[in-house]
Amino acid sequence: MKPTQTSITSRMQALFFLNGLGLFVVGILFGWAWFFHLLQEVVLWPLPVQVDVQIPGDSRAYRMGHMEAITQGLLLMGMAFGGQFMRLSKKEFTWLFWTALITTWLFTLPAMANTFVGTRGLAFGGGPFKASLANDIIYLFGWPPVMSVHIFFALAVLGVWRYLQQTKDH
């Protein structure tokens, strides 16, 4: 028997949106670290606070982590509203939800971690980049989102396809 196709629940939409906001907040905090890295001091004029700091990392890595958080956050916010144009079973929506969170958070946080340990995490053993234990750990953290992103988008396309099939007479 074919599972009943349902619409996204309001709670799941809110959780998608909340996680998208969470990624934005993480991106903002990371952006502040980048800002102070560039200035080489913590200064918040007109407050009389000025502290010399040496925050590690390079601008390329900061840009990657910052933009990753923004992009992934927007993706989740889009899913919160775009989910209304999907028809999936309850189980498929559960898979969609968890693979979306794995994809977005585990693409973002390791990209940010690369900034502070001077790695890229793109190849085990470093590949053409710096080899280190940190690189290999970050690389391994990349596998769950690499797998999840394919399931996530396959379910999203399937859900929209089913929705369009049900509404083709309108």
Side-chain angles (χ1 to χ4, degrees), residues 30 33-34 55-58 61-62 111-119:
F30 195 71
W34 183 15
I55 300 173
D58 65 67
Y62 275 105
M112 290 177 170
N114 281 322
T115 305
F116 301 112
V117 294
T119 61

Side-chain angles (χ1 to χ4, degrees), residues 66-79:
H66 183 67
M67 293 308 298
E68 192 78 46
I70 292 168
T71 304
Q72 300 294 351
L74 284 172
L75 175 62
L76 289 181
M77 290 177 192
M79 288 305 299

Side-chain angles (χ1 to χ4, degrees), residues 20-31:
L21 289 172
L23 282 161
F24 264 57
V25 169
V26 167
I28 289 167
L29 295 173
F30 195 71

Side-chain angles (χ1 to χ4, degrees), residues 105-123:
W105 283 101
L106 289 183
F107 274 146
T108 301
L109 296 176
M112 290 177 170
N114 281 322
T115 305
F116 301 112
V117 294
T119 61
R120 299 274 177 103
L122 297 175

Side-chain angles (χ1 to χ4, degrees), residues 9 11 13 61 82 86 92 118 135 147 168:
T9 65
R11 179 172 173 77
Q13 285 179 296
M86 293 181 194
E92 289 167 334
N135 177 81
M147 307 271 282
K168 63 180 162 186

